[in-house]
Amino acid sequence: MKTVQAYRFALDLTPAQERALLGHAGAARKAHNWALARVKAVMDQRAAERTYGIPDEQLTPSLSWSLPALRRAWNTAKPEVAPWWADYSKEAYNTGLDSLARGLKNWSDSRTGKRAGRKAGFPRFKGKHRTTPSVRFTTGTIRVE
């Protein structure tokens, strides 16, 4: 049996550190919202094409919702989508893309009956004032200076 232990820390941040941390959370939100908009656009396009009677093999190609696929798409588009991308950690963007990949998988599994419990809703866009700012740093040593 494997035991996983987590720790939660309260940070006493200076105003500059708080702005930097919120910037990382904003970067995660930007990546999440960008990828969600892409997924929704393709889904809506395919639905519209189906109403015109276009056969499935001729529909707009679907997108992969896996984290690696979303990451590849983000890395290709980030210079145009977020020209300030280098100011923040790659882990911040990964946080947003990971949350979207998990949400899409839960929604899909819920619709097909692979997921027990209540039906999961389709992922939503994250708003600056509507969601709690969050970011995960999962690699390397974390220091707050």
Side-chain angles (χ1 to χ4, degrees):
M1 180 189 301
K2 182 178 179 181
T3 302
V4 177
Q5 186 170 4
Y7 297 94
R8 178 175 277 185
F9 296 96
L11 302 175
D12 186 20
L13 303 173
T14 66
Q17 290 170 332
E18 185 176 4
R19 280 191 305 277
L21 197 56
L22 287 174
H24 281 81
R29 186 177 64 249
K30 175 68 174 180
H32 173 95
N33 288 343
W34 172 84
L36 180 57
R38 244 180 121 231
V39 166
K40 282 182 67 76
V42 169
M43 288 178 69
D44 292 345
Q45 178 67 30
R46 288 174 61 90
E49 289 171 353
R50 281 192 184 98
T51 64
Y52 296 127
I54 296 174
D56 283 350
E57 60 274 357
Q58 293 178 1
L59 294 176
T60 299
S62 61
L63 295 176
S64 173
W65 298 343
S66 69
L67 178 58
L70 291 175
R71 258 204 209 125
R72 278 191 302 275
W74 171 256
N75 285 333
T76 302
K78 68 185 175 188
E80 293 84 34
V81 174
W84 39 261
W85 69 268
D87 295 344
Y88 299 101
S89 170
K90 66 182 176 97
E91 291 291 320
Y93 304 109
N94 189 58
T95 298
L97 297 173
D98 182 50
S99 71
L100 179 61
R102 288 172 191 251
L104 288 167
K105 181 176 180 349
N106 287 340
W107 171 74
S108 178
D109 289 351
S110 177
R111 289 186 65 205
T112 59
K114 293 180 189 172
R115 184 175 187 269
R118 213 176 79 207
K119 296 278 185 203
F122 192 79
R124 295 180 181 183
F125 289 100
K126 293 184 177 190
K128 182 176 183 179
H129 301 290
R130 195 178 56 214
T131 58
T132 302
S134 67
V135 64
R136 288 186 318 268
F137 299 98
T138 58
T139 60
T141 304
I142 305 300
R143 293 185 340 198
V144 178
E145 297 177 5

